[in-house]
Amino acid sequence: MLIVFGGACLAVLAEAFLPRHQRWPVQVTLTLVTLAGAGLALGFYAGTGPSGLTTFADMVAVDRPTLFLWGTLLALALASVLLIADRSVEPGGAFVAAPAARVAAGGGGAIGGPVDGAEDRPYGLAGEQPTMQTEVFPFTLFALGGMMAFCAANDLLTMFIALEVLSLPLYLMCGLARRRRLLSQEAAVKYFLLGAFASAFFLYGLALLYGYAGSVRLSAIADAAVGSNKSDALLFGGLALLIVGLLFKGSVGPFHTWTPDVYQGAPTPVTAFMAACTKVAAFGAILRVLHVAFGDTRWEWRGVLWAVAIASMVIGAVIGLTQTDIKRMIAYSSIAHAGFLLLGAMAITSAGTSSTLFYLLAYGFTTVAVFGLISLVRDADGEATHLSQWAGLAKRSPLVAGVMTFLLLALAGIPLTSGFTAKFAVFSAALGDGMAPLVVIALVASAIAAFFYLRVIVLMYFSDPAPDGPSVAVPGAFTTAAITLGVLVTLLLGIVPTLALNWASGGNFVG
């Protein structure tokens, strides 16, 4: 975690002092070296370090679930950074500079102001070739560091600070799209405003729990819940408000309202990073809070989370059927998957923990690869995300259609993919903890959700392409590597999941 934050600080200095033409190679190299260094340090510690401890004045818990979550975040961030760094699919990359630092194309407007016809035109000086804007790399590293701290926090105040550290860069990154800038900026504003509300809920819940337990440490809250004679209204009121903030970050319905708009409006590489990594961080924090602080009171709060899980699965599966934009469809898919993940999080058992961690790993790589493919299907206005534009895609590019089919089948949970193994593990853990009715509802929701995945497959293979339909861009080395990594992990976790499952079940939370 320190390596990631240190790399982020160095990236800020590089952005400030390097001339513009040197920033892209330096930032890409620095970011990849940072991720590799953090990964090597994590691997060394996982092989030689103690099985569980708390550090930084007991503010951070380093245990086996933490190490698994950190490894997952680093691997998913690597794939996401490859998508972010690509300059071949979109000339000059998918990002523009911050509004205060850019000049409208053609020099006809105020700084950052629009000029006629410039809605989809890259910003830059007149006649200048579009270049990659590199502010996004330090943003990515700061967000990643915040996610790592978020899922390892041993007290609620550290968790809140980490929540803000991971959220603020994401708000900015969502508004940096080179094309469809107004849609991108609208997504950023919505995400920021709703995120502020969610942070306020989290902070108010933290205050109530501090009033109840006299401490914000998770283990102290657990001790107070067992042995305190105070009113439980503070305890469960605080948990309710706290959980709202966490469920918002995890895109769990009915706290999902930001998700479709932000997924659609944000630059696609940022959407991939957000969809994969933020869900890992959010559910890592949910697991730690429920297991460490509220495990002994689960019979009081489990009924409410049952209703939340059902709402998330139904909202994601049913409303996903009506979507005509593929990025919005994947957004509702993520809401349904969040409901499935909540089943594993509610099972306060080692099987529930390991199955949820495995699900996060499997879902993250599949999602990154899906958004990598979405970025390749383009027309004159940029990405072609309307479903009608995907008609007959198999005739234009059989390879892209075949890979997309495999990934959609993985999201649907078809055997021999990671999605099937992950769902089987989570549903088995929920059954083992007495949640059979919820598993039945989850199976029905999975069947409904499979329809809108299959609809895209049928559209690609059994419809005629429009004469003026989109083309498929030839991916550069970075995008190719990210998609290949996602596809290989999706395949391997479906065929030989034992290693990842064993790693995920290697230990319990400290405390």
Side-chain angles (χ1 to χ4, degrees):
M1 187 168 68
L2 292 175
I3 290 172
V4 171
F5 277 124
C9 293
L10 290 176
V12 170
L13 294 176
E15 193 68 26
F17 293 110
L18 287 176
R20 183 168 179 172
H21 67 277
Q22 294 180 3
R23 290 178 193 167
W24 183 85
V26 171
Q27 291 284 24
V28 172
T29 303
L30 177 59
T31 304
L32 294 178
V33 167
T34 298
L35 295 177
L40 289 173
L42 175 65
F44 178 77
Y45 182 85
T48 61
S51 59
L53 55 84
T54 57
T55 185
F56 283 156
D58 291 337
M59 292 189 297
V60 175
V62 183
D63 46 35
R64 289 298 167 181
T66 297
L67 297 179
F68 187 93
L69 289 164
W70 281 0
T72 302
L73 284 170
L74 289 172
L76 293 174
L78 173 62
S80 302
V81 165
L82 292 175
L83 291 179
I84 290 169
D86 190 276
R87 298 187 296 178
S88 60
V89 176
E90 173 73 54
F95 305 94
V96 294
R102 65 195 183 192
V103 179
I111 293 177
V115 294
D116 293 340
E119 166 57 21
D120 281 329
R121 201 157 60 206
Y123 274 114
L125 298 176
E128 182 185 350
Q129 292 298 316
T131 57
M132 177 73 174
Q133 299 297 337
T134 50
E135 303 99 322
V136 70
F137 292 104
F139 288 162
T140 302
L141 287 176
F142 274 118
L144 175 62
M147 292 171 188
M148 295 174 74
F150 189 56
C151 61
N154 194 44
D155 67 67
L156 296 179
L157 197 56
T158 303
M159 194 174 283
F160 174 74
I161 295 169
L163 175 65
E164 296 306 300
V165 172
L166 80 89
S167 298
L168 292 174
L170 285 176
Y171 299 152
L172 293 168
M173 291 163 71
C174 287
L176 293 181
R178 183 178 289 274
R179 294 178 182 265
R180 298 175 182 169
R181 291 194 304 274
L182 295 181
L183 191 65
S184 176
Q185 290 161 8
E186 179 188 345
V189 170
K190 287 180 177 177
Y191 194 17
F192 170 69
L193 291 176
L194 291 172
F197 276 109
S199 296
F201 276 105
F202 186 99
L203 199 56
Y204 201 167
L206 184 158
L208 293 181
L209 290 171
Y210 179 75
Y212 178 83
S215 172
V216 292
R217 190 158 296 153
L218 299 179
S219 56
I221 295 170
D223 293 339
V226 173
S228 175
N229 57 5
K230 294 181 182 178
S231 168
D232 285 345
L234 278 178
L235 176 67
F236 294 114
L239 172 62
L241 293 170
L242 189 75
I243 270 302
V244 166
L246 293 172
L247 295 178
F248 171 89
K249 271 296 162 202
S251 304
V252 183
F255 311 102
H256 68 282
T257 49
W258 63 276
T259 310
D261 290 336
V262 175
Y263 275 39
Q264 182 184 17
T268 298
V270 172
T271 306
F273 175 65
M274 188 166 49
C277 294
T278 306
K279 199 171 288 291
V280 173
F283 274 94
I286 289 170
L287 280 170
R288 186 172 298 280
V289 166
L290 294 182
H291 281 247
V292 178
F294 295 96
D296 292 324
T297 57
R298 58 184 174 274
W299 302 114
E300 282 81 3
W301 52 256
R302 181 177 277 182
V304 176
L305 286 189
W306 270 49
V308 171
I310 292 170
S312 188
M313 291 184 288
V314 171
I315 289 169
V318 174
I319 302 184
L321 295 172
T322 66
Q323 300 306 305
T324 57
D325 184 278
I326 194 163
K327 289 173 75 173
R328 292 182 73 89
M329 188 194 81
I330 299 299
Y332 280 102
S333 163
S334 80
I335 295 163
H337 282 282
F340 303 146
L341 280 161
L342 206 52
L343 267 68
M346 283 190 287
I348 309 296
T349 61
S350 58
T353 302
S354 62
S355 62
T356 306
L357 295 178
F358 180 84
Y359 201 124
L360 290 168
L361 175 67
Y363 174 79
F365 275 103
T366 305
T367 303
V368 169
V370 165
F371 282 110
L373 289 172
I374 289 173
S375 70
L376 300 181
V377 183
R378 312 180 70 83
D379 58 17
D381 296 324
E383 292 165 357
T385 58
H386 197 280
L387 285 180
S388 63
Q389 296 173 296
W390 284 62
L393 189 70
K395 296 181 177 64
R396 295 182 182 272
S397 179
L399 179 60
V400 168
V403 174
M404 190 68 172
T405 298
F406 173 71
L407 295 171
L408 290 174
L409 292 177
L411 290 176
I414 302 301
L416 298 183
T417 66
S418 61
F420 172 79
T421 311
K423 284 185 179 178
F424 183 84
V426 165
F427 294 168
S428 298
L431 276 174
D433 204 38
M435 292 187 278
L438 206 54
V439 172
V440 172
I441 295 171
L443 289 171
V444 173
S446 292
I448 296 171
F451 176 81
F452 57 75
Y453 302 126
L454 294 174
R455 180 179 61 178
V456 177
I457 296 171
V458 169
L459 199 62
M460 290 191 295
Y461 280 93
F462 300 105
S463 297
D464 294 324
D468 57 345
S471 60
V472 177
V474 177
F478 285 163
T479 297
T480 302
I483 294 172
T484 303
L485 180 62
V487 171
L488 285 177
V489 173
T490 300
L491 181 62
L492 289 174
L493 292 182
I495 298 174
V496 283
T498 311
L499 180 63
L501 281 170
N502 289 341
W503 187 26
S505 57
N508 294 317
F509 291 101
V510 171

